[in-house]
């Protein structure tokens, strides 16, 4: 396992055939989405390995420089202004390495799903569209597309066929739903197959959404 990043690992059976790498949001940690595994398991997910990495602890400008777990710094409520491109790319490289570790453990790239919520979802988009690996799918929850300007010349053409599940809360006041819609429309314009779902909720995850995630994972894994 990559010594550079700590992870919580949960396996739903003795011989997992698929792997989900799931990235938490700002200020949370790898344990944040662990409870969801039980729900997904009850919905008939095959034996799966879940890897929940902890983001590093860094000062976050928008929170007055307070040190917390974050995949990159946020300097502006606008999110896409004054982007911390260096931090985004550093996390992209870290998670790329983590996926490489799973491949070394025997998981084929096409049996690995990358998922993320909020900041974690931004890294999911950032890496999932650029990686040399052909992944099984991407799950982007309550998030937006970072580094938009470089996507055209950095996207890996073989990832245009990747299935994407994107979901957002209609009352999200942290990452506005317009940001999520903008990302989806941009990807669809490039030919990416995106399933888009919205829910009457704030910046969170709801039960209906978990059902959609389970269906998506069963389909792609």
């Amino acid at each position: 396992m990559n010594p550079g990043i700590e992870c919580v690992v949960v396996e739903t059976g003795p011989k997992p055939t698929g792997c989900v790498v799931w990235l938490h949001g700002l200020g949370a940690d790898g344990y944040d989405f662990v409870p969801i595994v039980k729900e997904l398991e009850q919905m008939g997910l095959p034996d799966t390995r879940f890897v929940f990495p902890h983001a590093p602890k860094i000062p976050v400008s928008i929170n007055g420089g307070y040190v917390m777990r974050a995949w990159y710094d946020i300097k502006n409520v606008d999110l896409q202004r004054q982007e911390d491109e260096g931090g985004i790319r550093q996390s992209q490289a870290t998670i790329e390495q983590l996926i490489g570790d799973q491949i070394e453990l025997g998981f084929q790239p096409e049996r690995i799903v990358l998922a993320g919520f909020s900041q974690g979802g931004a890294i999911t988009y950032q890496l999932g569209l650029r990686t040399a690996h052909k992944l099984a799918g991407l799950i982007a929850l309550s998030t937006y597309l970072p580094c938009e300007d470089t996507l055209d010349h950095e996207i890996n053409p073989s990832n245009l066929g990747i299935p994407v599940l994107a979901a957002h809360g209609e009352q999200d006041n942290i990452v506005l739903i317009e940001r999520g819609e903008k990302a989806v429309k941009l990807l669809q314009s490039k030919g990416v197959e995106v399933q888009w779902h919205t829910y009457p909720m704030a910046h969170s995850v709801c039960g209906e959404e978990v059902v959609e995630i389970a269906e998506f994972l069963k389909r792609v894994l």
Side-chain angles (χ1 to χ4, degrees):
M1 187 66 74
N2 176 6
I5 189 161
E6 291 175 60
C7 302
V8 182
V9 177
V10 181
E11 293 185 345
T12 63
K15 290 187 177 168
T17 54
C19 175
V20 180
V21 176
W22 198 312
L23 312 180
H24 63 76
L26 177 68
D29 63 20
Y31 290 101
D32 200 31
F33 281 96
V34 169
I36 225 168
V37 174
K38 204 42 128 184
E39 295 179 60
L40 294 170
E41 208 180 343
Q42 287 164 350
M43 293 176 202
L45 197 64
D47 287 0
T48 305
R49 176 186 176 92
F50 286 85
V51 181
F52 299 99
H54 300 299
K57 291 179 179 172
I58 62 168
V60 175
S61 301
I62 204 166
N63 291 337
Y66 187 78
V67 173
M68 59 177 65
R69 290 200 182 274
W71 296 108
Y72 51 90
D73 189 20
I74 293 180
K75 298 171 184 169
N76 196 296
V77 284
D78 186 288
L79 300 176
Q80 287 173 304
R81 277 176 59 206
Q82 299 176 282
E83 238 178 3
D84 175 20
E85 190 175 335
I88 290 167
R89 290 187 185 278
Q90 196 170 350
S91 283
Q92 176 187 346
T94 301
I95 302 305
E96 180 92 66
Q97 174 65 52
L98 183 60
I99 287 171
D101 295 342
Q102 305 312 307
I103 293 168
E104 277 179 30
L105 288 170
F107 292 99
Q108 297 298 319
E110 58 272 16
R111 309 287 302 158
I112 299 174
V113 169
L114 183 57
F117 175 79
S118 196
Q119 256 205 346
I123 298 299
T124 295
Y125 273 147
Q126 175 72 13
L127 170 58
L129 300 166
R130 290 168 171 83
T131 178
H133 301 300
K134 184 82 173 71
L135 300 178
L138 306 178
I139 298 175
L141 309 175
S142 305
T143 193
Y144 65 100
L145 197 64
C147 302
E148 262 182 19
D149 298 346
T150 63
L151 184 62
D152 269 351
H153 66 267
E154 289 179 352
I155 196 165
N156 176 357
S158 67
N159 289 338
L160 291 172
I162 197 167
V164 178
L165 173 65
H168 219 105
E170 289 152 14
Q171 285 100 46
D172 194 330
N173 61 350
I174 307 288
V175 181
L176 301 179
I177 191 166
E178 289 79 12
R179 289 268 184 249
E181 285 172 338
K182 185 182 172 197
V184 168
K185 283 177 181 158
L186 186 68
L187 294 185
Q188 286 173 336
S189 75
K190 296 185 186 308
V192 180
E193 176 213 331
V194 188
Q195 274 185 53
W196 170 242
H197 298 272
T198 63
Y199 303 95
M201 62 178 183
H203 193 60
S204 59
V205 175
C206 64
E208 262 182 282
E209 191 176 10
V210 176
V211 173
E212 285 299 343
I213 291 168
E215 290 305 316
F216 180 81
L217 289 174
K218 283 191 281 187
R219 182 165 69 85
V220 301
L221 292 178

